[in-house]
């Protein structure tokens, strides 16, 4: 598997007073088995703050936003996942993506894709 690009974005607000402006999206494009695929992870924006509060990952201190990391971590933990879109509204499940996570190792492995 080869990571081609990683992007992150805030989910644009929806119609009808949707709370969607409280979500972020992490998108990774990669090659696997001769195919180019895209994986999207959408999560509650507040989870990034909770990660920092728990000392797991502080995007302000490390300089790489959570929305540039989450999809790659999901892909690493679920390389044979059947679905291309994933949604997290449960913090414990989202935090599980960061188990064993090292900012230094991640930056060394994916610096070109996540910081490009």
């Amino acid at each position: 598997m080869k990571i081609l690009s990683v992007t992150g974005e805030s989910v644009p607000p929806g119609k009808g007073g949707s709370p969607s402006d409280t979500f972020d999206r992490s998108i990774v494009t990669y090659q696997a088995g001769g195919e180019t695929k895209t994986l999207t992870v959408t999560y509650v924006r507040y989870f990034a703050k909770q990660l920092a509060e728990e000392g797991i990952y502080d995007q302000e201190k490390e300089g790489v936003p959570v929305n540039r990391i989450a999809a790659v971590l999901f892909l690493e933990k679920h390389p044979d996942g059947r679905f291309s879109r994933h949604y997290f509204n449960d913090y414990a499940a989202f935090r599980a993506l960061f188990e064993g996570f090292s900012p230094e190792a991640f930056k060394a492995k994916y610096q070109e894709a996540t910081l490009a």
Side-chain angles (χ1 to χ4, degrees):
M1 173 175 54
K2 178 182 178 184
I3 303 293
L4 301 175
S5 70
V6 180
T7 59
E9 63 186 16
S10 295
V11 176
K15 295 180 181 178
S18 169
S20 64
D21 58 342
T22 62
F23 294 94
D24 280 349
R25 185 176 294 136
S26 180
I27 305 161
V28 61
T29 302
Y30 62 101
Q31 284 184 328
E35 290 183 68
T36 299
K37 300 178 179 184
T38 299
L39 172 75
T40 302
V41 172
T42 302
Y43 60 92
V44 178
R45 183 175 300 140
Y46 182 70
F47 291 172
K49 184 175 180 180
Q50 286 183 285
L51 290 172
E53 289 173 356
E54 291 183 13
I56 296 169
Y57 182 75
D58 186 339
Q59 64 184 3
E60 301 298 324
K61 180 179 146 191
E62 298 295 338
V64 179
V66 171
N67 65 17
R68 294 273 187 129
I69 295 173
V72 176
L73 293 178
F74 187 93
L75 185 60
E76 283 183 343
K77 293 194 184 285
H78 307 283
D80 297 323
R82 294 184 3 191
F83 302 104
S84 62
R85 294 181 187 170
H86 300 277
Y87 171 76
F88 288 91
N89 65 353
D90 175 60
Y91 177 65
F94 185 75
R95 185 182 62 220
L97 294 178
F98 288 81
E99 288 177 4
F101 174 73
S102 160
E104 296 79 21
F106 184 87
K107 286 179 187 178
K109 188 173 182 180
Y110 298 114
Q111 181 168 358
E112 193 171 301
T114 59
L115 301 177

